[in-house]
Amino acid sequence: MKIKKICSLLAILFLVGLTIPVMAQVNPQNLGNIRVDELSDDQIRAMMRQAEASGLGDAQMEQMAKARGMRDEEALKLKARVEEIKKTDKTQKSQADPNKVQPKKTTGERELNFETDTVEKQEDPETEAEKAFLELRSKIFGADLFKNSNLTFEPNLNMATPRNYVIGPGDELLIDIYGNSEVSYNLKVSPEGNINIEYVGIVPVGGLTIEAATSRIRSRMSSVYSGLRNGSTNLNIAVGNIRSIKVILTGEVVKPGTYTLPSLANVFNALYSSGGPNENGSFRAIELIRGGKKIATLDIYDFLMRGEMANNLRLQDQDIIRIPVYRSRIEIVGEVKRPGIFELLENESFADLLRFSGDFTENAFKARVKVLKNTDTERKIADIISGQFESYKPSTGDKYFVDRVLERFANRVTIEGAVFRPGQFELEPGMKLSQLINKAEGIKEDAFMERGYITRLKPDNQTEVISFNVSGILKGTSPDISLLREDIISIASIFDLKEEYKVSIDGEVREPGVFDYAENMTLEELILKAGGFTEAATAQRVEISRRVKNSNITSVSALTAEVFQINIDPNLNFSSPKFVLQPFDIVSVRSSMGYEVQRQVKVEGEVLYPGMYTIASKDERVSDLLKRAGGLTALAYTKGASLKREGKNKENDPLGGARSKKNEINEEDMENDRLAKLSRLQSNVRDSVDVLKQEEILKNVYVGIELDKILQNPHTPVDLILEEGDVLRVPKQLQTVKVNGEILYPVTTIYNQGRGFKHYISQGGGFSNKSLKRRSYVIYANGAVKSTSKILFFNNYPRVEPGAELFIPKKETNKGLSAQELLGITTGIASLGAIILGIINLSK
């Protein structure tokens, strides 16, 4: 039994393994590269069918996929897709086929008492030709009518029975007698067209209208119910559940065939069921044939244009609807509201075509329409003027083009600049320049009166500029100028003709910046615009620098700026003498002498009183700060103490610890330290640490202080002067060493006194084959860095202390020469050889 199960499972795995690679084009033994999102629903269904045929359940299918290397997230996606497709398929099966009879409706609603045999819709694969036909059909006016799923043209089975409805076999007649006698009958018309009424007998009603059938039944039932003759008893006849009829659609139909429809259906119902006319079918001459005779012709345009449904007759059994080939189709494009392909009858003109297309748009050029026509041998172009629209008869194959009006004005002039109402104006006959200025409400006070100009189009559409004296035109002392179409008059402002004047202020004001200059602006007014003095500001020696306009350029000591130093009232009292500013002056407000803002540092770790401290003097040092913090605790580890300092200046760069020990590390070691530091940062960000975090690391760097030496020799160069934002941290006794980088197993291990660098490397499994041993380095707990040095051919590794981190960089991958680089080197060597050979030959 167990062997049988194993064989069955192997067969299942084999079948599914065949299915998946066909879909995803991957190795059947390795599903690690499969992407469920890239599989179509049909591919998933194929997998489901294959698994079902093999007896494989959903859970087993998921387990098998994981066993073949599929990632967990992809397996979950596969499971979700399978469940979704099953749910969709189940929903589609539960929905009734729109071409099949619907379930019985509630009592009181008329129903079909038959099952339809309408031709089922079949979707053929689209070919290039079919796509072309679909594109053509989309342009044919009226083609979208029968493709609109929201417009079903279903017959109303709940309406009152029409009096001219013709009864046929399969109809259900509801006969109600009321008055002195009351009785109801529900009778079905037999295939012979008869009904059998109790006490009356057989009554033939087939082929009669409701009105005629009512008269016959009344006559036959009067012998039983005498009240029907004298009016004391009434008779009412209606159709209950209606019968089906067979209708044939032929000709140029999208889906020709025989359709089973309700007997209340009309021609539109049948056309919608069949998809309507195809790309060659007529929309204007659809024929209804009954008993071998054409009884009506349906024009769909009547419905589309006016909502009329003339000749949309009710169908009868064995009616034939024939859609002939169109006789004339004409296309109209361009500036019409409904461009497309339209079918015209023989007696219709271009005006009718224009009406079908919705008439001209607002931007249409209506005077003339271009048309491309087909002759027996070639094409020709013609123009139709507006007077011919009613009489011109289009021919099949014509294509009409309605152009836009030109983007130009016949009577426009424009005035711009220093006038009160600039813009476009109507060019009246004989209009002069002065009249246009008056229409623009005159010139502004800042107008430049000496000169304006007109930009004018010449007859060949080139431009020319005509200058005029604004003042002379307005006063009448200069000849007025006649304006032409599309003239543009420009009157400049005096402010447009000079540089924009600004003044600026910086230093100890609340809102330093650049401000607009105003005539007679004083220094005090500018300081007020800048928000006034800050607390640190001094009103003494305010400096103003001014541009020099008449500098002696031949002098070596020529002035580049004129500088003023002004003492003003701190309260900006305007009774004091005023210093008037000039355009482009730069004002600088200095800080008061001796003004200092409190600066704070922080002490953390093993001190008696950790916390924030304010720097008391400019030369306060680390040793002074420790005294204020109460000194060290018994657990303090002085060799691991560090000073974190913000910034990237020379003193505070990422290699500050190494630079503070420059007497012990030469320039090569410092460069090695730099490379090691960058390598370490790259390693830290390599495993999901982003660039923003790397920048944050570089902002706050650790200065490698030696706290034990500072405490032994306070106020010496090793005892650093504090700066704002410094954080002094004194850790507890450290007991571990971290090993990182290119080793077999990065690890944190216990510190053993006396053990060397290689001992801790061995704790991580040793160097990997990609290790760059000669670039190894140690980062100590205080932030200092020590790199490996060379003694002859041997690596001299740095010492290891508690809390240190050992880092081994990775070797750079040697990239081979590309074919292009190899060709370049070869060509260079060959050229060099040729030069050398030429020199040798010349020397002989």
Side-chain angles (χ1 to χ4, degrees), residues 142-201:
D144 291 338
L145 178 65
F146 302 105
K147 295 191 298 182
N148 186 358
S149 60
N150 296 322
L151 185 65
T152 59
F153 286 108
E154 292 180 353
N156 185 3
L157 302 181
N158 293 322
M159 71 179 194
T161 305
R163 304 310 296 170
N164 62 350
Y165 177 77
V166 178
I167 299 172
D171 280 341
E172 189 177 60
L173 295 185
L174 305 178
I175 303 175
D176 291 323
I177 296 176
Y178 55 95
N180 290 340
S181 300
E182 292 186 0
V183 66
S184 295
Y185 297 99
N186 189 342
L187 303 176
K188 188 173 183 180
V189 181
S190 69
E192 291 79 18
N194 302 324
I195 58 174
N196 188 356
I197 305 176
E198 187 179 10
Y199 307 121
V200 176

Side-chain angles (χ1 to χ4, degrees), residues 397-677:
D398 286 358
K399 187 170 184 178
Y400 294 84
F401 299 87
V402 180
D403 292 332
R404 293 176 64 93
V405 295
L406 297 176
E407 289 295 334
R408 57 184 292 176
F409 290 84
N411 62 340
R412 177 179 67 175
V413 289
T414 305
I415 186 169
E416 59 187 19
V419 292
F420 284 102
R421 293 192 182 276
Q424 299 174 352
F425 292 87
E426 176 190 1
L427 175 62
E428 298 173 352
M431 178 182 280
K432 300 288 187 179
L433 176 58
S434 59
Q435 294 174 306
L436 178 61
I437 295 175
N438 290 332
K439 275 194 170 186
E441 303 294 342
I443 62 173
K444 292 182 178 180
E445 295 81 1
D446 61 331
F448 181 64
M449 303 297 292
E450 299 302 320
R451 185 178 296 271
Y453 59 91
I454 302 172
T455 303
R456 174 167 291 176
L457 285 177
K458 298 170 69 175
D460 59 358
N461 271 354
Q462 295 188 56
T463 58
E464 64 175 338
V465 176
I466 302 172
S467 299
F468 61 90
N469 185 287
V470 179
S471 177
I473 292 292
L474 295 178
K475 293 177 181 179
T477 58
S478 298
D480 212 346
I481 301 174
S482 297
L483 298 179
L484 300 179
R485 179 184 68 86
E486 296 294 3
D487 278 354
I488 299 175
I489 294 86
S490 300
I491 299 176
S493 166
I494 59 174
F495 299 112
D496 296 333
L497 303 178
K498 67 179 181 179
E499 188 176 358
E500 188 176 6
Y501 288 167
K502 298 285 185 180
V503 289
S504 61
I505 184 170
D506 57 25
E508 296 298 333
V509 289
R510 294 179 61 242
E511 296 178 8
V514 179
F515 298 87
D516 292 330
Y517 171 78
E519 287 190 20
N520 298 318
M521 175 185 282
T522 64
L523 176 59
E524 291 83 356
E525 290 169 345
L526 178 59
I527 294 173
L528 283 176
K529 282 180 174 287
F533 292 123
T534 65
E535 186 181 4
T538 177
Q540 308 299 313
R541 299 175 64 85
V542 176
E543 187 173 278
I544 301 98
S545 59
R546 178 167 295 170
R547 289 184 179 180
V548 177
K549 298 181 179 179
N550 299 312
S551 178
N552 183 7
I553 60 174
T554 61
S555 173
V556 175
S557 59
L559 292 176
T560 58
E562 190 176 1
V563 179
F564 304 91
Q565 288 186 345
I566 306 296
N567 297 334
I568 62 176
D569 190 327
N571 299 319
L572 301 178
N573 190 341
F574 287 95
S575 62
S576 60
K578 300 179 180 63
F579 183 88
V580 179
L581 299 175
Q582 294 293 327
F584 312 113
D585 280 356
I586 300 175
V587 178
S588 299
V589 180
R590 312 298 183 191
S591 298
S592 299
M593 292 186 296
Y595 183 87
E596 290 286 345
V597 178
Q598 300 96 320
R599 296 177 298 160
Q600 289 191 310
V601 294
K602 188 176 183 180
V603 184
E604 297 177 343
E606 296 303 313
V607 294
L608 293 180
Y609 303 104
M612 299 296 297
Y613 289 84
T614 301
I615 300 176
S617 62
K618 290 185 177 181
D619 62 345
E620 187 167 3
R621 298 175 182 264
V622 173
S623 59
D624 300 324
L625 180 60
L626 285 175
K627 287 180 182 179
R628 293 172 62 186
L632 304 176
T633 67
L635 296 177
Y637 179 54
T638 56
K639 289 188 177 181
S642 62
L643 182 69
K644 184 170 71 173
R645 178 166 289 176
E646 296 180 354
K648 295 184 180 180
N649 54 30
K650 181 177 179 181
E651 183 177 320
N652 295 339
D653 69 10
L655 303 177
R659 294 183 186 277
S660 67
K661 298 174 69 65
K662 60 184 178 180
N663 293 330
E664 300 180 16
I665 306 176
N666 57 28
E667 291 298 325
E668 182 180 358
D669 288 340
M670 292 171 66
E671 182 61 24
N672 292 342
D673 289 341
R674 180 186 297 276
L675 294 174
K677 190 75 171 182

Side-chain angles (χ1 to χ4, degrees), residues 683-684 686-687 736-750 759-769 771 804-810:
S683 176
N684 289 339
R686 181 175 54 195
D687 299 327
T736 60
V737 174
K738 184 183 291 186
V739 185
N740 213 336
E742 288 299 324
I743 61 172
L744 296 179
Y745 188 79
V747 68
T748 299
T749 184
I750 298 173
H759 165 75
Y760 296 101
I761 297 297
S762 65
Q763 296 297 308
F767 294 108
S768 71
N769 57 1
S771 299
E805 180 178 357
L806 283 62
F807 192 86
I808 295 83
K810 183 179 179 180

Side-chain angles (χ1 to χ4, degrees), residues 35-69:
R35 298 292 182 270
V36 175
D37 292 337
E38 297 176 0
L39 299 178
S40 66
D41 288 349
D42 291 337
Q43 291 174 327
I44 299 290
R45 288 189 178 95
M47 295 172 61
M48 293 165 58
R49 288 194 298 268
Q50 197 70 262
E52 184 179 355
S54 305
L56 191 65
D58 293 345
Q60 293 171 317
M61 185 176 176
E62 181 183 356
Q63 293 172 0
M64 180 278 303
K66 290 182 179 179
R68 300 289 291 277

